Amino acid sequence: EVQLVESGGGLVKPGGSLRLSCAASGFTFSSYSMNWVRQAPGKGLEWVSSISSSSSYIYYADSVKGRFTISRDNAKNALYLQMNSLRAEDTAVYYCARGAPGDQQAFDIWGQGTMVTVSS
Amino acid sequence: DIQMTQSPSSLSASVGDRVTITCRASQSISSYLNWYQKKPGKAPKLLIYAASSLQSGVPSRFSGSGSATDFTLTISSLQPEDFATYYCQQSYSIPLTFGGGTKVEIK
């Protein structure tokens, strides 16, 4: 079964750090680009970051650039999001999502999400 | 950045109704347009990619059309499990952007 499972969310104070992980199974992880997408409470979906299959290409939303770092370990079938200098507006459910094959870059497989709460 | 505008933001419909949701891009995105369904507490689900291609496993009552700046998601006969929020997303350029969502509620 193709599956993505996020972990690492929790409550953190403003200015703090958190590292999210996404464990992939059921597909050849190293062949796919991967993404992080978030949804703040009561808000819509927001793309956060993307990484190509070999980590050659990395992109960030302006709202997280310079504070968040996406990475992956293809040997461990794992995707990561290091989040530093967290702000209240980073409070959201964070989803990892697989990039579909081809150039469309749709997100075809999603994890169940992990909640990040930034509050003092 | 490419802005994606969905309309309406919400709608009420009955089981069996035909439902149409529109999405407009602030500039041409060719056919780089995807549609997702989101239910509370659940992961988003890809319905349509490349504007009109049905994702595997998605019921055929869902269809997508459009190109350049104007796109449509149609549900031909609304089913109870279709009550959810629907999002369009452009994958033409970085930053990837989503529409604000359309909440489909029971009338």
Side-chain angles (χ1 to χ4, degrees):
Chain A
E1 180 192 5
V2 175
Q3 195 172 11
L4 297 170
V5 179
E6 302 94 336
S7 60
L11 175 64
V12 61
K13 289 182 169 54
S17 298
L18 212 53
R19 189 197 197 203
L20 305 184
S21 299
C22 173
S25 59
F27 64 98
T28 306
F29 181 73
S30 60
S31 297
Y32 291 85
S33 64
M34 295 297 297
N35 309 270
W36 289 99
V37 176
R38 67 185 181 184
Q39 184 174 35
K43 304 294 185 182
L45 298 172
E46 179 188 16
W47 170 77
V48 173
S49 183
S50 298
I51 186 168
S52 62
S53 58
S54 61
S55 303
S56 298
Y57 300 97
I58 288 176
Y59 306 100
Y60 298 100
D62 283 347
S63 57
V64 306
K65 199 173 294 182
R67 300 187 299 121
F68 289 11
T69 302
I70 191 172
S71 63
R72 63 190 296 163
D73 186 335
N74 286 342
K76 294 183 178 179
N77 292 339
L79 175 72
Y80 305 103
L81 187 67
Q82 177 67 43
M83 305 187 295
N84 299 330
S85 303
L86 282 161
R87 306 166 179 167
E89 53 266 35
D90 296 317
T91 294
V93 176
Y94 284 74
Y95 297 96
C96 65
R98 188 179 80 171
D103 68 346
Q104 275 293 326
Q105 273 302 296
F107 306 141
D108 67 343
I109 303 294
W110 296 67
Q112 85 289 348
T114 187
M115 183 70 204
V116 172
T117 303
V118 184
S119 174
S120 54
Chain B
D1 297 3
I2 298 174
Q3 310 303 318
M4 306 301 295
T5 303
Q6 284 182 238
S7 61
S9 56
S10 65
L11 64 90
S12 295
S14 301
V15 172
D17 284 353
R18 181 181 182 88
V19 170
T20 299
I21 299 168
T22 63
C23 178
R24 176 163 289 177
S26 60
Q27 65 184 75
S28 177
I29 58 171
S30 184
S31 296
Y32 288 83
L33 190 284
N34 310 302
W35 289 98
Y36 301 87
Q37 178 190 67
K38 178 69 170 70
K39 296 180 179 180
K42 301 290 187 180
K45 176 184 179 182
L46 176 64
L47 300 174
I48 301 286
Y49 64 95
S52 60
S53 296
L54 190 68
Q55 174 69 357
S56 176
V58 173
S60 59
R61 63 181 180 272
F62 292 93
S63 64
S65 64
S67 64
T69 61
D70 293 302
F71 302 88
T72 299
L73 174 70
T74 299
I75 309 172
S76 61
S77 179
L78 198 65
Q79 297 302 300
E81 59 268 30
D82 300 337
F83 292 96
T85 301
Y86 294 85
Y87 293 91
C88 62
Q89 175 237 340
Q90 66 83 15
S91 51
Y92 181 79
S93 68
I94 298 293
L96 305 176
T97 47
F98 290 88
T102 296
K103 187 173 185 179
V104 176
E105 299 175 300
I106 301 172
K107 182 182 283 185

